[in-house]
Amino acid sequence: SPNGKASPFADCRPNGALGHGSEDDSSLLPLNLKTRDYVEACVCHIKDLENGQMREVDLGSGRALLIKEHGEFFAMGHKCPHYGAPLVKGVLSKGHVRCPWHGACFNVATGDIEDFPGLDCLPVFQVRVEKEKVIIRANKQALQTQKRSKPMARCSSVIHSNTVVALSAGPAALVCAETLRQEGFTDRIVMCTMDRHPPYDRPKLSKSLESTAEQLRLRSVDFLQDHDIELLTEKEVTVDVKTHTVTFEDGLKMEYRKLFIATGSKPKPMNYKGNEVKNVFHLQTPEDANSIARLANNKNAVIVGTSFVGMEVAAALTDKAHSVSVIGIESLPFKKALGEKVGKVIMKLFEANRVKFYMLNEVSEMIGHHGQLKEVVLKSGKVLRADVCVIGAGSVPASGFLKQSGIHLDSKGFITVNKMMQTNVEGVFAGGDVVTFPFPQRNNKKVNIPHWQMAHVHGRVAALSMMGRASEAKTVPYFWSAMFGKTIRYAGYGDGFDDVIIQGDLDELRFVAFYTRSEEVVAVASMNYDPIVSRVVEVLGSGKTIKKRDVETGDISWLIDKGSH
């Protein structure tokens, strides 16, 4: 049937509206045109898949994800465009598939990205049913690339009376710029960053210290130019909201109609003697990461702070450095974020990999020889040999340049925004790590959630708001951390949790931890338990609550997806 229901007479159809389809909208082409660019394969019998199931299928020129939902078949790219996760291991629910690794979400009919992280959508392929056989027709190139960009407008205005300036080249600014173009914005877009590189994948810095900016980049300079997104690097600015201008250090002024501030955070200042000593790093750039890896080779590395970044660096250095020492002010790493039980097993994992901990401690002095770091002295009096030191002791919002601007900052320096990412000043929006925003799951309490995924969401909401299309950040926060080849996945907002319910085996590092506040689950963390975190996101994202008693019983089979095979 024309609507693609599984019937023996099903007509050839692309799954998804033509306006959103991928490169594979071959229904727009005469059938004899470019057929060599396409592959067609019978992939299964219609009864091989139950409703709500997914299967990865081979078309000869590449693989696709076949999905059956409400008696209808869909086919799309099988790898998440973010980090290449196999989507067949993800969660299928209500017309979309959620990635098992980091929670990105794709519409099964259009392939469009509906929740972040990541910038690209999935290609979709034609499905038809003939004689009870399911046949997929796919573009060979789309099978290879496994991703696509949404169509974008170009800049067509000559006078530039409607310029959007974004202060940052992080994910919030990039998603904001791309969303504006996808939604048909045709005036000038300028991204200004203090960084020297085009947008890159910052979370990988602490996990893969030897990666270059080129290897980490999210979009090439050519991509930005092709879509008329201007990029100005190594630029510091001041903002004048009365005259709608940003002024660069060299005196150049630029007028804006809309301003988006996503300057992120900067390292929290630390008090210690000897702060002029070299080889002490705050990990902020690919150059920092490369220097840390080089200087730590067969040498002594000291990490100050048990933040996720600090711990990831410690883990990344264990197979390079002669010794790795971690100094923390709490009794356990991650105690505040993940609780005592999880903190303990992670500390054990590090100790098993030769990392030494000096907890309930702080640095009093860095001692150098000819300007190079040689020793780190702790307040307890302990002296550690050190050739390189990385400080990962938390951060503060990078908003100092706005102090006299009239844009409202809270007592900690965060920019406060409403649910549409607007500041108190008309035409000025903000997002990412530098803001507090009303969080629906906590009765719109203003919170700061410095997650990579959340910054993407803010960028999209801000762009839609600028275009007068009211939207709000309804997503469930999603975060991950990788150490020693193992990944902690985390979703929700666990601030102020009062209990942790653990299912699985902590010592085997195969567990799920539910964080509760009074009688409600507010967050979840897991190791080797996919796709449970993405499954919980589906439940919480649909507006339902998970009660403490639902996860205390030990039977969480209702949360574990049986839909793929």
Side-chain angles (χ1 to χ4, degrees), residues 89 100-102 338 342 345-346 349 478-490 502-513 524-534 556 559-561:
K89 293 185 173 172
W101 289 0
H102 309 120
L338 300 178
V342 177
V345 296
I346 290 170
L349 170 67
Y478 207 116
F479 171 81
W480 67 96
S481 183
M483 303 144 188
F484 306 113
K486 296 174 171 45
T487 303
I488 299 168
R489 311 201 194 289
Y490 179 94
I502 309 260
Q503 302 287 359
D505 191 328
L506 274 174
D507 293 324
E508 290 292 313
L509 298 176
R510 186 182 180 276
F511 65 87
V512 55
V524 60
S526 81
M527 262 179 132
N528 293 314
Y529 227 104
D530 293 342
I532 195 149
V533 172
S534 289
I556 51 168
L559 268 177
I560 298 168
D561 187 28

Side-chain angles (χ1 to χ4, degrees), residues 367-429:
I367 295 175
H369 183 62
H370 300 310
Q372 302 291 341
L373 179 69
K374 282 294 163 209
E375 291 173 330
V376 173
V377 183
L378 306 186
K379 289 200 171 154
S380 64
K382 177 82 181 163
V383 179
L384 304 178
R385 289 177 62 188
D387 302 290
V388 59
C389 177
V390 182
I391 297 178
S395 56
V396 292
S399 60
F401 70 105
L402 297 171
K403 280 208 169 107
Q404 308 302 319
S405 67
I407 295 165
H408 183 259
L409 305 177
D410 73 8
S411 59
K412 291 180 178 169
F414 291 109
I415 304 169
T416 55
V417 294
N418 65 14
K419 63 185 179 182
M420 279 154 358
M421 299 294 126
Q422 283 175 305
T423 67
N424 62 311
V425 176
E426 199 177 336
V428 179
F429 299 77

Side-chain angles (χ1 to χ4, degrees), residues 35-311:
T35 48
R36 68 181 181 279
D37 296 339
Y38 289 81
V39 62
E40 197 168 281
C42 168
V43 292
C44 68
H45 188 275
I46 56 168
K47 288 187 178 154
D48 288 348
L49 239 62
E50 300 286 331
N51 274 325
Q53 284 191 324
M54 304 186 279
R55 177 185 281 189
E56 207 175 281
V57 293
D58 197 340
L59 278 72
S61 302
R63 299 175 82 77
L65 184 68
L66 180 66
I67 295 159
K68 188 177 184 184
E69 205 174 30
H70 306 304
E72 203 168 344
F73 285 97
F74 303 90
M76 62 204 261
H78 71 100
K79 274 186 193 171
C80 179
H82 177 230
Y83 280 8
L87 291 172
V88 73
K89 293 185 173 172
V91 177
L92 172 64
S93 172
K94 301 188 183 75
H96 60 239
V97 176
R98 190 175 291 277
C99 171
W101 289 0
H102 309 120
C105 197
F106 303 91
N107 184 296
V108 299
T110 64
D112 285 354
I113 187 166
E114 292 184 343
D115 200 355
F116 300 99
L119 299 163
D120 290 312
C121 301
L122 289 170
V124 289
F125 310 120
Q126 288 180 352
V127 186
R128 70 180 192 275
V129 175
E130 272 178 15
K131 297 178 182 161
E132 303 208 327
K133 296 273 194 293
V134 179
I135 297 162
I136 297 177
R137 183 172 194 265
N139 176 296
K140 288 178 185 173
Q141 194 186 347
L143 281 174
Q144 290 307 307
T145 58
Q146 289 286 325
K147 60 185 179 184
R148 66 178 174 88
S149 300
K150 278 188 186 176
M152 297 194 206
R154 298 289 302 260
C155 179
S156 57
S157 75
V158 184
I159 303 163
H160 299 319
S161 58
N162 205 15
T163 300
V164 172
V165 173
L167 303 183
S168 165
L174 186 57
V175 170
C176 180
E178 291 194 21
T179 302
L180 287 169
R181 288 281 180 251
Q182 289 161 6
E183 297 292 324
F185 182 77
T186 56
D187 214 302
R188 191 178 180 199
I189 300 175
V190 185
M191 288 200 305
C192 311
T193 174
M194 285 169 68
D195 227 313
R196 55 189 281 200
H197 302 293
Y200 60 89
D201 192 346
R202 196 177 282 267
K204 272 192 186 163
L205 281 186
S206 48
K207 300 170 180 78
S208 169
L209 296 167
E210 280 152 340
S211 298
T212 62
E214 188 80 0
Q215 290 164 330
L216 297 173
R217 75 178 180 200
L218 299 171
R219 292 296 195 208
S220 66
V221 172
D222 288 348
F223 179 95
L224 298 175
Q225 284 172 351
D226 289 347
H227 297 98
D228 293 332
I229 297 167
E230 296 172 53
L231 176 68
L232 304 176
T233 54
E234 299 182 89
K235 297 286 184 206
E236 248 184 281
V237 301
T238 53
V239 175
D240 187 333
V241 297
K242 291 190 182 70
T243 59
H244 287 221
T245 55
V246 293
T247 305
F248 299 94
E249 273 184 320
D250 57 11
L252 172 76
K253 281 181 162 37
M254 189 181 286
E255 278 192 38
Y256 64 82
R257 174 64 68 91
K258 300 276 194 294
L259 180 67
F260 182 56
I261 304 166
T263 42
S265 56
K266 59 182 188 178
K268 193 184 277 182
M270 270 182 59
N271 281 327
Y272 58 84
K273 281 192 223 151
N275 53 14
E276 72 293 333
V277 175
K278 288 192 183 127
N279 296 356
V280 178
F281 294 89
H282 292 281
L283 178 55
Q284 292 183 283
T285 66
E287 288 76 18
D288 290 342
N290 300 167
S291 298
I292 291 162
R294 192 184 69 251
L295 291 164
N297 201 24
N298 290 320
K299 294 283 176 52
N300 303 295
V302 172
I303 315 297
V304 180
T306 52
S307 64
F308 282 98
V309 169
M311 293 290 279

